[in-house]
Amino acid sequence: MLEELVGESTSVNLNGKVVELPVVTGSEGEKGLDVSQLRKESGYITLDPAYGNTGACESSICFIDGEKGILRYWGIPIEQLAEKSSFIETTYLLLYGKLPSQQELTQLSQRISKNLTIPDLVKKLYSNFSDETHPMALLSAVVSALSGYDKKQSSLEQSEVDIDETSIRLIGQFPAIAAAIYRKKIGKEFIEPDPKATYTENLVRMMFGETDLEKQITPEAIEALDMLLILHADHEQNCSTSAVQLVGSSRTNLYASIAAGIAALWGPWHGGANQDVMVMLQKIKDSGGDVQKYVEIAKDKNSKVRLSGFGHRVYKTFDPRAKVIKSVCDKVLEKMGVNNPLLEIAKELEQTALQDEYFIQRKLYPNVDFYSGIIYKAIGIPTDMFTVMFAMGRLPGWIAHWKEMLTSKPSRIGRPRQIYVGPTKTDYTPVDQRS
Ligand code: ACO
């Protein structure tokens, strides 16, 4: 793969030593300098804190053009998938690199359906956690613990078939895990899935059961939830996917690798922003709805407050996912008969920030998390479960990248270097001689 893509090279002069660096060109014309031999040839490493300018791999799964606001899974624009696909079909696309035939789609749905529950012992695990435990902590713990229920996980080198089976099992188990987390929180028993229902219908069923809430959930809401799962399904080398790959590169099993991704996603600067946005909007509402005042606080570096759901490492224009979500938000709320004043505050906040020089200069736009919470809330999903929903959507993307990492050449353990800036050699001083 690498040889095929290398068409040119460039040279750098490092203190008189000229080093040739191959130029790698991607299928969309992106260019990268291959520095993998740089240290061997010159003694230099590259330094790029937070990896803002570092490509960690070549990948065929997801393409983003942050300047133009483009996102595609295996070449297919996210807008088309959001409108025409289902989450299970998109899962097939991410895992196998093509859209499925009808038969392949049916087979995948059946395989996933067979796994739509979790071992009883895992359910018992929940009762040992405090009610205060955040759902993302539970999710990460339970996913990691599931490795103990999959014998194939103990083998060091899994076959492709085994990896596929484990992947499908985990995708099937995820709604059950999420529902069990929610039901533990509200002190209710676990509800078994309906084998005839779709993945997303079962998620709602297992969370809410036959309560009034379930009756209120319209087909449009289920459709919107499925669409949110599609929009979250992949996003190339983000913080959590990189965590999954880095952890997996040490040949940790899939469950533990995904648990690491869940932990990374939880943070408020990543997937946890969807929860934070709702907290922020509520705060603005409770303090009288002064949007401008909040924007001023977010601009003030001393406040340590950021506008949640705004800004992105890659997008320097509108996040295409945010555009799709915003466009369906009104429709879903209307169909569900929900009037959420937070939506009006979100719209005003967006307009205020977009016209503000601070946000214009830094190219800060709404990201996927800005409007997603409004839809989750309308469906009745509690705020602290939002990031769990995000994780469910991201799962096929994490798995696809984990598999790609394991099969890529060279497949080595992930291990960045550093520039050491600590003390030079210093002799040990016994404690009684220290000043
Ligand atoms: N509010 C106010 N200022 C911001 C924001 C924001 N939301 N985002 C970035 N900035 C400012 C920074 O303070 C910095 O200002 P400076 O140049 O004066 O120092 C400048 O914009 C550039 O920010 P960086 O931190 O360099 O941007 P980075 O690419 O590292 O961070 C991130 C991206 C983490 C998403 C950031 O924009 C952020 O914290 N946003 C809010 C949290 C959020 O919505 N996260 C979800 C992202 S989408 C996702 O992960 C699914």
Side-chain angles (χ1 to χ4, degrees):
M1 180 85 153
L2 196 62
E3 277 88 329
E4 267 173 45
L5 292 173
V6 173
E8 48 184 301
S9 69
T10 193
S11 54
V12 279
N13 189 326
L14 299 166
N15 276 344
K17 178 156 178 62
V18 177
V19 182
E20 282 294 310
L21 297 177
V23 173
V24 181
T25 307
S27 50
E28 289 285 348
E30 293 167 303
K31 287 191 188 296
L33 289 180
D34 177 358
V35 294
S36 54
Q37 303 303 313
L38 183 65
R39 185 173 172 278
K40 213 186 275 173
E41 292 181 15
S42 68
Y44 283 74
I45 64 161
T46 55
L47 182 63
D48 182 23
Y51 314 125
N53 205 39
T54 292
C57 61
E58 292 175 42
S59 179
S60 311
I61 301 166
C62 184
F63 172 70
I64 301 177
D65 183 327
E67 268 67 36
K68 295 190 183 138
I70 292 173
L71 168 61
R72 299 180 196 138
Y73 301 162
W74 288 96
I76 304 179
I78 192 65
E79 296 81 1
Q80 292 181 23
L81 291 167
E83 189 192 338
K84 298 176 182 159
S85 187
S86 66
F87 179 59
I88 297 303
E89 186 180 63
T90 300
T91 294
Y92 189 103
L93 172 68
L94 287 169
L95 294 184
Y96 307 112
K98 67 173 188 87
L99 286 171
S101 66
Q102 184 56 58
Q103 192 192 6
E104 288 165 332
L105 183 59
T106 307
Q107 272 171 2
L108 181 66
S109 301
Q110 286 167 349
R111 288 179 67 204
I112 289 176
S113 283
K114 274 193 210 141
N115 288 291
L116 270 170
T117 190
I118 44 174
D120 282 341
L121 271 171
V122 174
K123 285 176 209 158
K124 285 196 186 131
L125 242 184
Y126 293 105
S127 49
N128 294 318
F129 286 100
S130 136
D131 284 347
E132 300 304 311
T133 310
H134 192 281
M136 287 296 276
L138 278 170
L139 184 66
S140 170
V142 165
V143 168
S144 195
L146 278 172
S147 58
Y149 297 84
D150 185 350
K151 289 199 180 63
K152 301 227 168 80
Q153 280 307 306
S154 54
S155 64
L156 199 61
E157 290 299 333
Q158 279 188 280
S159 70
E160 260 183 55
V161 175
D162 287 348
I163 288 178
D164 191 54
E165 257 181 48
T166 298
S167 306
I168 301 304
R169 182 175 306 120
L170 187 53
I171 292 168
Q173 287 170 330
F174 227 80
I177 299 169
I181 288 172
Y182 172 64
R183 294 192 71 78
K184 178 207 169 333
K185 209 176 167 63
I186 58 169
K188 297 259 171 75
E189 286 300 305
F190 184 79
I191 295 174
E192 290 302 327
D194 172 359
K196 292 190 291 301
T198 67
Y199 189 81
T200 312
E201 283 166 352
N202 261 319
L203 166 66
V204 170
R205 177 192 151 81
M206 287 190 279
M207 281 184 82
F208 305 121
E210 300 297 329
T211 61
D212 290 346
L213 195 53
E214 193 190 19
K215 284 177 209 137
Q216 276 174 33
I217 297 173
T218 61
E220 287 81 13
I222 304 265
E223 213 176 285
L225 192 53
D226 200 73
M227 182 205 69
L228 285 177
L229 293 175
I230 295 172
L231 292 176
H232 286 98
D234 195 35
H235 214 235
E236 49 119 302
Q237 308 302 315
N238 54 83
C239 176
S240 56
T241 304
S242 300
V244 169
Q245 291 184 107
L246 189 61
V247 169
S249 76
S250 73
R251 273 41 184 178
T252 299
N253 64 61
L254 180 64
Y255 297 98
S257 305
I258 298 297
I262 293 165
L265 188 73
W266 186 4
W269 282 13
H270 191 14
N274 57 13
Q275 172 174 348
D276 249 31
V277 168
M278 291 307 278
V279 173
M280 172 184 77
L281 295 175
Q282 192 64 49
K283 215 184 272 174
I284 295 173
K285 181 173 175 287
D286 293 346
S287 59
D290 192 343
V291 160
Q292 184 64 49
K293 191 171 153 201
Y294 199 87
V295 168
E296 294 307 321
I297 295 171
K299 283 157 53 177
D300 177 3
K301 302 283 185 230
N302 295 322
S303 76
K304 300 233 163 63
V305 170
R306 285 188 169 188
L307 205 57
S308 283
F310 251 75
H312 198 277
R313 170 62 60 79
V314 182
Y315 293 120
K316 298 302 162 204
T317 180
F318 278 93
D319 179 334
R321 303 165 299 174
K323 268 194 193 171
V324 174
I325 298 175
K326 189 184 174 190
S327 72
V328 299
C329 229
D330 283 316
K331 241 188 301 173
V332 175
L333 264 51
E334 196 189 315
K335 284 258 164 63
M336 293 190 72
V338 173
N339 177 19
N340 188 346
L342 297 188
L343 178 59
E344 290 316 309
I345 294 180
K347 284 181 181 170
E348 195 188 332
L349 187 57
E350 178 190 341
Q351 282 318 309
T352 309
L354 288 176
Q355 286 160 22
D356 192 293
E357 207 42 46
Y358 174 98
F359 291 87
I360 294 170
Q361 260 180 17
R362 290 168 180 76
K363 299 191 174 162
L364 302 170
Y365 289 83
N367 59 51
V368 67
D369 290 323
F370 195 68
Y371 284 104
S372 59
I374 308 258
I375 299 186
Y376 290 138
K377 198 85 192 159
I379 295 168
I381 293 165
T383 311
D384 63 359
M385 286 291 292
F386 288 179
T387 319
V388 172
M389 297 296 125
F390 189 151
M392 195 179 314
R394 185 54 53 86
L395 183 61
W398 283 334
I399 296 174
H401 287 276
W402 182 84
K403 282 188 354 184
E404 191 180 59
M405 179 269 304
L406 284 182
T407 50
S408 65
K409 297 269 181 299
S411 180
R412 303 175 74 196
I413 189 165
R415 206 297 187 188
R417 286 188 176 264
Q418 63 168 18
I419 299 292
Y420 175 69
V421 294
T424 51
K425 183 173 180 265
T426 311
D427 286 329
Y428 177 82
T429 323
V431 69
D432 57 351
Q433 292 170 29
R434 288 174 214 158
S435 50

